[in-house]
Amino acid sequence: MTAQSEKPPTAEGGAQHPGFRMFDMVLFSVCAMLLLSQLTVTAAVGPSAIFWTVVMIVVFFLPYGLVTSELGSTYPDAGGIYAWVVRAFGNRWGSRVSWWYWANVALWVPSVYLMFSGVLSSIFFDGKLEFWVQVAITVALIWLNYLVNARSLEIGTWVSNIGAGITVLVIVCVAVAGGTYASAHGSATHWTLSTVLPHEGFPAIALALPVIIYNFLGFELMSSASTQMPNPKRDVPKTIAIAGALIGGFYLIATLGMQLLLPADEISETTGLIDTLTRGLDGVPGGGVLVTVLGIGSLYCFFACLIPWTIGANIAASESAQQGDLPKVFARTHPERGTPVGAAMLCSVVGTVVTLGYAVLFSLTDGAVDDLFWNLFAFSSVIFLLPYIVMMLAFRKLRRTDPDRPRPYRVPGGPLVELLVTWVPALLLIAAALFFVCNPFDFSAEVTGSIVAGLAVTFVIQEIFCKKSPEWTRQRAVERGEDPGTAAQFSDTVPAQKG
């Protein structure tokens, strides 16, 4: 991975590039985390999703944001979570985190493109597109994603900016349509204190917790760019606060609008967005055309939001492989363009194999696209959550092993606050991962079994990589003309701090 800085961010040791404006970083965070593919998943939880979103902002997002603010401004390493974990727990855990990041993206891509195929079916085929046709569309998009990754790394910021603008436009339309429909016909959802406030505590948590926590992850991407900010002590926490308020607010507005238009049990995780827009704009002059236009815009957003994530994950995997943390095939780059074709190719191969494997499983059990989407989403989400659990523990470890390092931003409070901001989010992340794998109140042996089997394969591959990595590290050093005896080896302990 990218080398880590041993110095705190200072005027002399900071970035040599022009500083990011706080507006730029807010926009980046909103673009990366406000995903149309998540709107229906959250709305399908039911009216209590609004309650749980507010609660999670307080008990999860706030401490998570404080921790990423401190880590990102104190350790401005380009590797982000990977670098923080290496500092706290050594290279072996850093390697695991690097693998989890890449594997999550490889698994997340097909779940989003399955939603793409569902929306496409709703817009142009009245929702009657055959199951295997939708699977074929998903596979085709996976390989289109590869071509974009392989051809150019200069996918301008306008791609994300346009995607963010369309996302906000769609959410506003859903909210307006929901309000207009409810004022004329009444709400499709029964709103009472008992429906909004979860009266079946544990079942409600098991349903809502993993989805809502997933929505709030990703701020460490912005924090790791703190060296390019003029004043990280001021800008990092303020950016997280502003972006978090916007993201949380837009998710709440979208959830409310969708549930005004459809009851939660009728919101499809793949076609729910178009279904709600269709109902909300029914009878409005030009409503059908507007639904089609917004649907096409949503399709663009589904594709555009994955491009920067896959490029980032593939570059990170390529850099990690160049250091010896992953197999050499991940390190292969295009001879002229320098793009990470090895990691991108493997990402598409894994996505294709997983998509087809799950499709065969669910076709044999009379499954539907919604079932396939949820399994791929849950599978990738568990892997996605794992690095954040380690990150929270790394925060507490670094407070103890590196207490004298200047911290441009420091989480306020004493030992009790430190304990709470570490363990409350960590335990919530663990619970969310467990509920993704197995919801005891909506148990399916086929669903849980398929996710557990996929996770087992992922973890076995991960430990094989960990075992082989010292050898790969020495090989990479020889190829670079360095002394293999001085090449970095795996270590489960953190070396003593210098000076």
Side-chain angles (χ1 to χ4, degrees):
M1 295 291 291
T2 303
Q4 302 169 38
S5 169
E6 289 299 323
K7 297 181 180 180
T10 63
E12 293 79 21
Q16 301 301 314
H17 303 288
F20 277 116
R21 296 175 302 163
M22 190 167 62
F23 173 80
D24 296 327
M25 299 313 298
V26 169
L27 183 61
F28 173 80
S29 298
V30 172
C31 290
M33 296 171 62
L34 185 61
L35 306 175
L36 290 182
S37 59
Q38 287 299 108
L39 299 185
T40 54
V41 179
T42 305
V45 169
S48 65
I50 295 174
F51 169 83
W52 285 117
T53 297
V54 174
V55 169
M56 287 303 126
I57 287 174
V58 175
V59 302
F60 177 79
F61 166 72
L62 181 58
Y64 160 65
L66 293 173
V67 167
T68 52
S69 294
E70 178 170 323
L71 289 173
S73 58
T74 304
Y75 303 101
D77 305 315
I81 286 183
Y82 168 82
W84 304 335
V85 169
V86 168
R87 287 180 178 275
F89 300 117
N91 291 85
R92 189 175 297 276
W93 276 101
S95 181
R96 291 186 179 109
V97 165
S98 178
W99 165 246
W100 290 337
Y101 251 107
W102 180 86
N104 156 68
V105 171
L107 298 169
W108 180 46
V109 166
S111 72
V112 175
Y113 288 154
L114 277 168
M115 179 173 283
F116 182 108
S117 68
V119 173
L120 184 70
S121 175
S122 292
I123 296 174
F124 297 108
F125 301 96
D126 196 28
K128 297 178 180 179
L129 203 59
E130 292 293 332
F131 173 81
W132 281 104
V133 174
Q134 295 189 51
V135 171
I137 291 172
T138 300
V139 172
L141 289 169
I142 288 171
W143 287 98
L144 179 60
N145 189 298
Y146 163 76
L147 292 176
V148 174
N149 274 251
R151 284 199 59 82
S152 174
L153 300 180
E154 298 177 357
I155 308 296
T157 56
W158 61 268
V159 174
S160 294
N161 291 347
I162 292 174
I166 295 174
T167 298
V168 171
L169 176 63
V170 171
I171 290 174
V172 170
C173 288
V174 168
V176 172
T180 303
Y181 178 88
S183 65
H185 307 284
S187 172
T189 298
H190 186 52
W191 301 95
T192 65
L193 195 62
S194 63
T195 59
V196 175
L197 296 179
H199 56 283
E200 298 179 353
F202 198 72
I205 294 175
L207 179 63
L209 181 68
V211 172
I212 294 172
I213 282 184
Y214 182 96
N215 292 346
F216 285 119
L217 293 173
F219 281 116
E220 77 288 342
L221 298 174
M222 179 275 300
S223 296
S224 64
S226 60
T227 49
Q228 299 181 14
M229 295 182 180
N231 188 343
K233 180 177 181 180
R234 177 199 66 197
D235 293 344
V236 169
K238 187 176 291 187
T239 298
I240 287 177
I242 295 172
L246 290 173
I247 292 166
F250 280 126
Y251 274 128
L252 284 171
I253 290 171
T255 300
L256 178 61
M258 296 184 80
Q259 291 179 354
L260 288 172
L261 291 163
L262 287 174
D265 58 1
E266 294 182 17
I267 298 177
S268 165
E269 290 162 347
T270 53
T271 64
L273 181 62
I274 296 302
D275 295 342
T276 52
L277 285 171
T278 299
R279 172 168 290 190
L281 297 175
D282 184 37
V284 175
V289 174
L290 183 57
V291 169
T292 301
V293 171
L294 291 173
I296 294 173
S298 300
L299 294 177
Y300 171 84
C301 292
F302 292 157
F303 185 79
C305 77
L306 288 181
I307 297 302
W309 281 91
T310 51
I311 288 177
N314 290 328
I315 290 175
S318 176
E319 293 177 352
S320 182
Q322 290 168 19
Q323 299 301 317
D325 287 346
L326 292 176
K328 188 176 181 179
V329 64
F330 283 88
R332 189 165 64 89
T333 58
H334 193 281
E336 297 177 359
R337 305 186 188 102
T339 51
V341 292
M345 173 68 73
L346 288 173
C347 183
S348 295
V349 169
V350 170
T352 300
V353 170
V354 170
T355 299
L356 295 178
Y358 272 108
V360 170
L361 174 64
F362 279 95
S363 66
L364 294 176
T365 57
D366 296 323
V369 173
D370 276 5
D371 299 317
L372 180 56
F373 166 81
W374 174 256
N375 274 262
L376 289 173
F377 173 70
F379 183 13
S380 66
S381 296
V382 174
I383 300 173
F384 180 58
L385 295 176
L386 296 178
Y388 295 93
I389 298 172
V390 184
M391 186 195 84
M392 301 309 298
L393 302 180
F395 160 75
R396 184 170 171 83
K397 178 73 176 293
L398 289 169
R399 277 281 189 98
R400 280 153 176 70
T401 59
D402 195 15
D404 298 327
R405 180 179 291 271
R407 285 167 162 77
Y409 173 80
R410 184 181 179 91
V411 177
L416 179 60
V417 173
E418 178 187 315
L419 188 68
L420 290 174
V421 300
T422 298
W423 282 105
V424 170
L427 292 174
L428 288 171
L429 286 162
I430 292 170
L434 291 175
F435 290 144
F436 266 129
V437 175
C438 176
N439 185 333
F441 302 96
D442 187 21
F443 180 75
S444 168
E446 292 84 1
V447 171
T448 299
S450 62
I451 294 175
V452 170
L455 290 173
V457 172
T458 302
F459 294 151
V460 167
I461 294 173
Q462 153 197 308
E463 294 308 309
I464 292 174
F465 288 171
C466 284
K467 184 176 181 180
K468 295 286 291 181
S469 186
E471 177 186 344
W472 294 336
T473 300
R474 290 189 292 269
Q475 291 174 355
R476 299 295 90 76
V478 170
E479 291 169 3
R480 291 192 298 268
E482 300 173 0
D483 181 1
T486 62
Q489 300 294 318
F490 274 139
S491 172
D492 287 315
T493 59
V494 181
Q497 293 294 325
K498 297 179 181 179

